[in-house]
Protein backbone atom coordinates (compact mmCIF):
# COMPACT_ATOMS: atom_id res chain seq x y z
CA UNK A 1 0.00 0.00 0.00
CA UNK A 2 1.38 3.40 -0.96
CA UNK A 3 2.54 5.87 1.65
CA UNK A 4 0.38 8.92 2.11
CA UNK A 5 0.62 12.23 3.89
CA UNK A 6 -2.07 13.91 5.92
CA UNK A 7 -3.06 17.42 4.83
CA UNK A 8 -1.42 20.18 6.85
CA UNK A 9 -3.57 21.79 9.54
CA UNK A 10 -2.43 25.25 10.57
CA UNK A 11 -2.16 25.98 14.29
CA UNK A 12 -3.42 29.23 15.76
CA UNK A 13 -1.54 30.97 18.55
CA UNK A 14 -4.72 31.14 20.63
CA UNK A 15 -4.85 30.77 24.40
CA UNK A 16 -7.68 31.96 26.63
CA UNK A 17 -8.34 32.21 30.35
CA UNK A 18 -11.42 30.11 31.16
CA UNK A 19 -12.51 30.00 34.79
CA UNK A 20 -8.95 30.59 35.92
CA UNK A 21 -7.36 28.04 33.59
CA UNK A 22 -5.20 28.80 30.54
CA UNK A 23 -6.70 26.83 27.65
CA UNK A 24 -5.11 26.54 24.20
CA UNK A 25 -7.37 26.15 21.18
CA UNK A 26 -5.10 26.07 18.09
CA UNK A 27 -7.66 24.43 15.79
CA UNK A 28 -10.65 26.67 16.45
CA UNK A 29 -10.71 27.62 12.77
CA UNK A 30 -12.02 24.11 12.06
CA UNK A 31 -15.24 25.03 13.89
CA UNK A 32 -16.08 27.73 11.34
CA UNK A 33 -18.31 25.99 8.79
CA UNK A 34 -18.14 29.02 6.48
CA UNK A 35 -14.32 28.97 6.27
CA UNK A 36 -12.78 28.24 2.86
CA UNK A 37 -9.67 26.93 4.61
CA UNK A 38 -11.77 24.47 6.59
CA UNK A 39 -13.60 23.32 3.44
CA UNK A 40 -10.30 22.75 1.65
CA UNK A 41 -8.85 20.79 4.58
CA UNK A 42 -11.93 18.55 4.77
CA UNK A 43 -11.81 17.94 1.00
CA UNK A 44 -8.14 16.97 1.25
CA UNK A 45 -8.97 14.56 4.08
CA UNK A 46 -11.75 13.03 1.99
CA UNK A 47 -9.40 12.62 -0.99
CA UNK A 48 -6.80 10.99 1.23
CA UNK A 49 -9.25 8.43 2.53
CA UNK A 50 -10.60 7.76 -0.97
CA UNK A 51 -7.10 6.93 -2.22
CA UNK A 52 -6.53 4.64 0.75
CA UNK A 53 -9.93 2.97 0.37
CA UNK A 54 -9.36 2.13 -3.28
CA UNK A 55 -6.43 -0.12 -2.35
CA UNK A 56 -8.27 -2.10 0.32
CA UNK A 57 -8.84 -5.71 -0.82
CA UNK A 58 -12.28 -7.31 -0.68
CA UNK A 59 -14.23 -4.06 -0.52
CA UNK A 60 -16.95 -5.14 -2.95
CA UNK A 61 -17.41 -8.49 -1.23
CA UNK A 62 -17.71 -6.79 2.16
CA UNK A 63 -20.12 -4.16 0.82
CA UNK A 64 -22.30 -6.85 -0.76
CA UNK A 65 -22.46 -8.78 2.50
CA UNK A 66 -23.30 -5.66 4.51
CA UNK A 67 -26.07 -4.78 2.05
CA UNK A 68 -27.42 -8.32 2.36
CA UNK A 69 -27.47 -8.19 6.17
CA UNK A 70 -28.97 -4.70 6.34
CA UNK A 71 -31.60 -5.67 3.79
CA UNK A 72 -33.21 -8.37 5.90
CA UNK A 73 -35.54 -6.01 7.74
CA UNK A 74 -36.79 -6.50 11.30
CA UNK A 75 -39.80 -6.47 13.59
CA UNK A 76 -39.23 -4.88 17.00
CA UNK A 77 -40.34 -6.21 20.37
CA UNK A 78 -44.01 -5.27 20.88
CA UNK A 79 -45.24 -3.12 23.76
CA UNK A 80 -48.74 -4.02 24.93
CA UNK A 81 -51.12 -1.29 26.06
CA UNK A 82 -54.75 -2.08 26.63
CA UNK A 83 -55.80 -4.45 23.84
CA UNK A 84 -53.17 -3.21 21.42
CA UNK A 85 -49.61 -4.13 20.55
CA UNK A 86 -47.23 -1.41 19.36
CA UNK A 87 -44.01 -2.20 17.51
CA UNK A 88 -41.61 -0.99 14.84
CA UNK A 89 -41.10 -2.79 11.54
CA UNK A 90 -38.65 -2.22 8.70
CA UNK A 91 -39.20 -4.09 5.45
CA UNK A 92 -36.19 -5.37 3.47
CA UNK A 93 -34.58 -2.51 1.57
CA UNK A 94 -36.49 0.21 3.41
CA UNK A 95 -34.57 3.26 4.61
CA UNK A 96 -36.40 3.58 7.94
CA UNK A 97 -38.69 1.49 10.08
CA UNK A 98 -42.34 2.39 10.65
CA UNK A 99 -44.27 2.41 13.91
CA UNK A 100 -47.27 0.10 13.81
CA UNK A 101 -50.09 -1.20 15.98
CA UNK A 102 -52.45 -4.13 15.93
CA UNK A 103 -55.61 -4.67 17.92
CA UNK A 104 -55.69 -7.86 19.93
CA UNK A 105 -52.96 -9.78 18.06
CA UNK A 106 -49.19 -10.07 18.11
CA UNK A 107 -46.89 -8.03 15.93
CA UNK A 108 -46.84 -9.01 12.28
CA UNK A 109 -43.86 -9.69 10.09
CA UNK A 110 -45.05 -7.79 7.06
CA UNK A 111 -47.55 -5.21 6.01
CA UNK A 112 -49.90 -7.94 4.83
CA UNK A 113 -52.48 -9.58 7.09
CA UNK A 114 -52.88 -13.30 7.57
CA UNK A 115 -56.33 -14.85 7.67
CA UNK A 116 -58.10 -14.15 10.94
CA UNK A 117 -55.69 -11.39 12.00
CA UNK A 118 -56.65 -7.82 12.67
CA UNK A 119 -55.07 -5.50 10.11
CA UNK A 120 -51.84 -3.75 10.90
CA UNK A 121 -52.13 0.02 11.25
CA UNK A 122 -49.12 2.20 10.47
CA UNK A 123 -49.02 5.09 12.92
CA UNK A 124 -45.77 6.86 11.97
CA UNK A 125 -43.85 6.40 8.72
CA UNK A 126 -40.82 8.72 8.50
CA UNK A 127 -40.41 8.19 4.75
CA UNK A 128 -44.04 9.13 4.10
CA UNK A 129 -43.43 12.32 6.07
CA UNK A 130 -40.12 13.12 4.36
CA UNK A 131 -39.03 11.18 1.28
CA UNK A 132 -35.46 12.52 1.63
CA UNK A 133 -34.89 10.13 4.53
CA UNK A 134 -33.66 12.92 6.81
CA UNK A 135 -36.60 12.68 9.21
CA UNK A 136 -36.18 10.05 11.93
CA UNK A 137 -38.39 8.53 14.60
CA UNK A 138 -36.44 9.12 17.83
CA UNK A 139 -38.78 7.74 20.50
CA UNK A 140 -42.37 6.72 21.10
CA UNK A 141 -44.61 5.83 24.03
CA UNK A 142 -48.28 4.80 23.99
CA UNK A 143 -50.42 5.77 26.94
CA UNK A 144 -51.30 3.04 29.41
CA UNK A 145 -54.66 2.35 27.78
CA UNK A 146 -53.36 2.24 24.21
CA UNK A 147 -55.58 5.10 23.03
CA UNK A 148 -52.98 7.84 22.56
CA UNK A 149 -49.41 7.76 21.26
CA UNK A 150 -46.63 10.23 22.07
CA UNK A 151 -43.79 10.16 19.55
CA UNK A 152 -40.76 12.28 18.69
CA UNK A 153 -39.41 13.17 15.26
CA UNK A 154 -36.17 14.85 14.27
CA UNK A 155 -36.42 16.69 10.97
CA UNK A 156 -33.60 17.32 8.52
CA UNK A 157 -31.13 15.48 10.73
CA UNK A 158 -31.30 18.13 13.47
CA UNK A 159 -31.83 15.57 16.31
CA UNK A 160 -34.15 18.03 18.07
CA UNK A 161 -37.04 15.60 18.67
CA UNK A 162 -40.32 17.44 18.21
CA UNK A 163 -42.92 15.79 20.43
CA UNK A 164 -46.43 15.07 19.15
CA UNK A 165 -49.44 13.12 20.45
CA UNK A 166 -51.92 11.39 18.15
CA UNK A 167 -55.15 9.46 18.56
CA UNK A 168 -54.27 5.84 17.83
CA UNK A 169 -57.61 4.97 16.24
CA UNK A 170 -57.95 7.94 13.90
CA UNK A 171 -54.31 9.06 13.57
CA UNK A 172 -55.38 12.65 14.18
CA UNK A 173 -53.05 15.06 15.97
CA UNK A 174 -54.10 15.64 19.58
CA UNK A 175 -51.16 17.68 20.88
CA UNK A 176 -47.93 19.26 19.69
CA UNK A 177 -45.55 19.74 18.16
CA UNK A 178 -43.61 20.55 21.34
CA UNK A 179 -40.03 21.64 20.76
CA UNK A 180 -36.84 21.37 22.88
CA UNK A 181 -37.51 17.71 23.69
CA UNK A 182 -34.16 16.21 22.69
CA UNK A 183 -33.29 13.20 24.88
CA UNK A 184 -36.70 13.34 26.55
CA UNK A 185 -38.79 10.36 27.49
CA UNK A 186 -42.53 10.40 28.18
CA UNK A 187 -44.19 8.85 31.24
CA UNK A 188 -47.97 8.66 31.02
CA UNK A 189 -50.34 8.87 33.94
CA UNK A 190 -53.35 6.52 33.84
CA UNK A 191 -56.23 7.83 31.77
CA UNK A 192 -54.10 9.47 29.09
CA UNK A 193 -54.84 13.02 30.20
CA UNK A 194 -51.34 13.95 31.34
CA UNK A 195 -47.71 12.85 31.18
CA UNK A 196 -44.32 13.73 32.59
CA UNK A 197 -41.56 14.67 30.16
CA UNK A 198 -38.22 16.46 29.95
CA UNK A 199 -37.79 19.74 28.11
CA UNK A 200 -35.01 22.32 27.83
CA UNK A 201 -35.55 25.88 28.94
CA UNK A 202 -36.10 28.36 26.09
CA UNK A 203 -32.90 29.89 24.64
CA UNK A 204 -33.80 33.36 25.86
CA UNK A 205 -33.93 32.08 29.45
CA UNK A 206 -30.36 30.74 29.53
CA UNK A 207 -26.88 32.22 28.95
CA UNK A 208 -25.46 32.38 25.43
CA UNK A 209 -24.20 29.04 24.03
CA UNK A 210 -26.08 27.06 26.70
CA UNK A 211 -29.33 26.40 24.85
CA UNK A 212 -28.60 22.64 24.68
CA UNK A 213 -28.47 22.40 28.48
CA UNK A 214 -30.81 23.37 31.33
CA UNK A 215 -33.36 20.57 31.22
CA UNK A 216 -36.37 20.29 33.51
CA UNK A 217 -39.00 17.65 34.24
CA UNK A 218 -42.54 18.89 33.66
CA UNK A 219 -46.09 17.59 34.04
CA UNK A 220 -48.04 18.31 30.85
CA UNK A 221 -51.82 18.15 30.38
CA UNK A 222 -52.66 16.78 26.94
CA UNK A 223 -53.98 19.54 24.69
CA UNK A 224 -52.93 22.37 27.01
CA UNK A 225 -50.38 25.04 26.14
CA UNK A 226 -46.84 24.24 27.24
CA UNK A 227 -46.65 27.47 29.26
CA UNK A 228 -49.20 25.80 31.55
CA UNK A 229 -46.83 22.89 32.25
CA UNK A 230 -46.01 22.32 35.91
CA UNK A 231 -42.32 22.27 36.82
CA UNK A 232 -41.74 19.07 38.77
CA UNK A 233 -37.97 18.64 39.01
CA UNK A 234 -34.61 20.08 37.96
CA UNK A 235 -34.66 23.64 39.27
CA UNK A 236 -31.32 24.62 40.81
CA UNK A 237 -29.45 21.53 39.61
CA UNK A 238 -26.41 21.44 37.33
CA UNK A 239 -27.07 22.69 33.80
CA UNK A 240 -25.63 19.48 32.25
CA UNK A 241 -27.98 17.09 34.07
CA UNK A 242 -30.01 14.68 31.96
CA UNK A 243 -33.27 13.40 33.41
CA UNK A 244 -35.26 10.23 33.00
CA UNK A 245 -38.81 9.75 34.22
CA UNK A 246 -41.14 6.75 34.44
CA UNK A 247 -44.49 5.86 35.99
CA UNK A 248 -45.36 2.32 37.07
CA UNK A 249 -47.97 0.35 35.13
CA UNK A 250 -50.58 0.92 37.85
CA UNK A 251 -49.81 4.65 37.92
CA UNK A 252 -48.83 4.64 41.60
CA UNK A 253 -45.07 5.13 41.50
CA UNK A 254 -43.10 7.94 39.86
CA UNK A 255 -39.34 7.47 39.37
CA UNK A 256 -36.96 10.27 38.37
CA UNK A 257 -33.29 9.80 37.51
CA UNK A 258 -30.56 12.41 37.03
CA UNK A 259 -27.18 11.96 35.34
CA UNK A 260 -24.44 14.59 35.16
CA UNK A 261 -23.60 14.74 31.46
CA UNK A 262 -22.40 11.34 30.27
CA UNK A 263 -20.90 10.29 33.61
CA UNK A 264 -21.49 6.56 34.37
CA UNK A 265 -23.42 7.28 37.56
CA UNK A 266 -26.82 8.66 38.45
CA UNK A 267 -29.14 9.77 41.25
CA UNK A 268 -32.63 8.31 41.72
CA UNK A 269 -35.82 9.37 43.48
CA UNK A 270 -39.24 7.74 43.86
CA UNK A 271 -42.66 9.16 44.80
CA UNK A 272 -45.92 7.44 45.77
CA UNK A 273 -48.55 9.20 43.67
CA UNK A 274 -51.31 7.68 45.81
CA UNK A 275 -50.08 9.83 48.70
CA UNK A 276 -49.13 13.03 46.85
CA UNK A 277 -50.43 14.98 43.89
CA UNK A 278 -48.81 14.30 40.48
CA UNK A 279 -47.95 18.00 40.19
CA UNK A 280 -46.19 18.03 43.58
CA UNK A 281 -44.80 14.52 44.12
CA UNK A 282 -43.09 13.85 47.44
CA UNK A 283 -39.81 12.41 46.19
CA UNK A 284 -37.74 10.07 48.35
CA UNK A 285 -34.12 9.25 47.64
CA UNK A 286 -33.23 5.83 46.27
CA UNK A 287 -29.64 6.75 45.43
CA UNK A 288 -27.86 10.10 45.59
CA UNK A 289 -24.19 11.08 45.45
CA UNK A 290 -23.07 7.48 44.94
CA UNK A 291 -20.58 6.37 42.29
CA UNK A 292 -22.90 3.82 40.66
CA UNK A 293 -25.16 3.42 37.66
CA UNK A 294 -28.57 2.17 38.81
CA UNK A 295 -31.90 1.58 37.14
CA UNK A 296 -35.18 0.71 38.84
CA UNK A 297 -38.64 -0.44 37.84
CA UNK A 298 -41.74 -1.23 39.85
CA UNK A 299 -43.06 -4.62 38.73
CA UNK A 300 -46.67 -5.71 38.41
CA UNK A 301 -46.23 -7.47 41.75
CA UNK A 302 -45.64 -4.09 43.41
CA UNK A 303 -41.98 -4.73 44.22
CA UNK A 304 -39.11 -2.45 43.22
CA UNK A 305 -36.60 -4.21 40.96
CA UNK A 306 -33.13 -2.68 40.99
CA UNK A 307 -30.27 -3.22 38.54
CA UNK A 308 -27.02 -1.65 39.73
CA UNK A 309 -23.26 -1.84 39.45
CA UNK A 310 -22.84 -0.64 43.05
CA UNK A 311 -20.31 -3.05 44.54
CA UNK A 312 -20.80 -5.25 41.47
CA UNK A 313 -18.74 -4.24 38.40
CA UNK A 314 -20.66 -6.77 36.28
CA UNK A 315 -24.00 -5.62 37.65
CA UNK A 316 -26.50 -7.25 40.00
CA UNK A 317 -30.27 -7.40 40.42
CA UNK A 318 -31.93 -6.65 43.74
CA UNK A 319 -35.55 -6.46 44.93
CA UNK A 320 -36.94 -4.18 47.61
CA UNK A 321 -40.05 -2.35 48.80
CA UNK A 322 -40.73 0.87 46.82
CA UNK A 323 -42.20 2.41 49.98
CA UNK A 324 -38.82 1.97 51.71
CA UNK A 325 -36.25 2.32 48.92
CA UNK A 326 -33.49 3.43 51.27
CA UNK A 327 -33.72 0.32 53.49
CA UNK A 328 -33.66 -2.30 54.69
CA UNK A 329 -30.98 -3.50 52.27
CA UNK A 330 -32.51 -4.97 49.13
CA UNK A 331 -32.03 -8.66 48.51
Amino acid sequence: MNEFRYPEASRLDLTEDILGHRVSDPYRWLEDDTSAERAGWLAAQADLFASYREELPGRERLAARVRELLGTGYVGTPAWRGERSFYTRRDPGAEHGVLCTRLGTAAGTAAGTAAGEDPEQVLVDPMAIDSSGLTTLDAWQPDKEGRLLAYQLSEGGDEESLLRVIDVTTGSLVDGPIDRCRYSNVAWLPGGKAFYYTRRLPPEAVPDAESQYHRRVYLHQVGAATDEDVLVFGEGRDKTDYYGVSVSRDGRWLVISASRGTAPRNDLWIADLSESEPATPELRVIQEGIDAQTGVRVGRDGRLYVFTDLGAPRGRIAVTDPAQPEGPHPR
Side-chain angles (χ1 to χ4, degrees):
M1 191 167 289
N2 296 330
E3 292 187 6
F4 52 87
R5 295 178 58 188
Y6 288 99
E8 293 291 334
S10 59
R11 292 176 58 90
L12 301 176
D13 183 15
L14 176 61
T15 303
E16 296 177 319
D17 186 287
I18 301 177
L19 301 176
H21 297 274
R22 300 294 292 172
V23 179
S24 297
D25 192 2
Y27 299 112
R28 183 175 295 180
W29 59 274
L30 285 170
E31 300 175 14
D32 182 4
D33 58 7
T34 64
S35 165
E37 182 181 10
R38 174 182 181 271
W41 184 85
L42 290 175
Q45 286 279 11
D47 291 341
L48 175 66
F49 174 71
S51 64
Y52 170 78
R53 181 189 61 201
E54 290 301 320
E55 298 185 23
L56 292 175
R59 288 192 308 114
E60 291 304 323
R61 181 164 56 87
L62 175 62
R65 179 58 175 157
V66 170
R67 282 193 295 268
E68 179 183 1
L69 293 173
L70 293 179
T72 57
Y74 67 81
V75 175
T77 304
W80 288 89
R81 299 292 186 271
E83 298 181 350
R84 287 185 173 275
S85 63
F86 296 82
Y87 55 95
T88 54
R89 170 180 55 76
R90 183 174 67 82
D91 291 337
E95 181 73 15
H96 295 294
V98 297
L99 177 58
C100 307
T101 184
R102 283 185 190 272
L103 182 61
T105 63
T109 57
T113 304
E117 285 187 343
D118 288 311
E120 178 183 83
Q121 177 186 351
V122 174
L123 297 173
V124 183
D125 181 352
M127 291 300 293
I129 296 170
D130 176 11
S131 61
S132 73
L134 296 179
T135 293
T136 57
L137 177 62
D138 297 333
W140 52 276
Q141 187 65 249
D143 72 354
K144 297 187 184 304
E145 296 75 25
R147 295 192 294 262
L148 297 176
L149 173 77
Y151 68 96
Q152 290 151 265
L153 291 178
S154 287
E155 301 171 358
D158 62 6
E159 299 183 5
E160 281 299 322
S161 291
L162 290 172
L163 173 63
R164 295 174 173 86
V165 178
I166 59 172
D167 182 292
V168 171
T169 301
T170 65
S172 59
L173 184 67
V174 175
D175 201 352
I178 302 174
D179 62 357
R180 308 195 305 273
C181 290
R182 187 179 189 183
Y183 306 131
S184 170
N185 61 326
V186 169
W188 287 94
L189 289 172
K193 295 182 179 180
F195 57 80
Y196 297 99
Y197 77 121
T198 303
R199 192 183 189 206
R200 300 193 310 271
L201 294 178
E204 61 270 17
V206 302
D208 291 343
E210 294 187 5
S211 61
Q212 291 297 323
Y213 304 116
H214 300 281
R215 293 171 177 81
R216 302 289 188 269
V217 176
Y218 296 97
L219 177 63
H220 176 74
Q221 301 293 325
V222 174
T226 54
D227 57 11
E228 298 178 16
D229 289 353
V230 177
L231 175 62
V232 173
F233 190 82
E235 189 69 31
R237 294 185 59 85
D238 191 272
K239 67 181 181 181
T240 64
D241 277 3
Y242 289 88
Y243 302 116
V245 58
S246 64
V247 173
S248 61
R249 193 68 173 265
D250 61 6
R252 178 177 176 181
W253 299 99
L254 166 68
V255 174
I256 294 177
S257 66
S259 302
R260 185 68 45 84
T262 58
R265 62 191 63 88
N266 65 311
D267 298 332
L268 285 165
W269 298 264
I270 192 168
D272 186 347
L273 297 181
S274 69
E275 296 183 354
S276 59
E277 292 297 321
T280 55
E282 296 178 6
L283 294 165
R284 302 177 64 180
V285 174
I286 298 177
Q287 170 178 298
E288 188 172 17
I290 296 175
D291 187 12
Q293 186 77 38
T294 301
V296 299
R297 182 174 294 274
V298 178
R300 296 189 184 187
D301 58 2
R303 295 189 291 180
L304 183 68
Y305 289 82
V306 183
F307 181 78
T308 182
D309 60 11
L310 179 62
R314 297 182 180 179
R316 67 187 178 105
I317 298 175
V319 184
T320 189
D321 182 356
Q324 296 180 307
E326 68 282 357
H329 294 298
R331 60 180 176 87

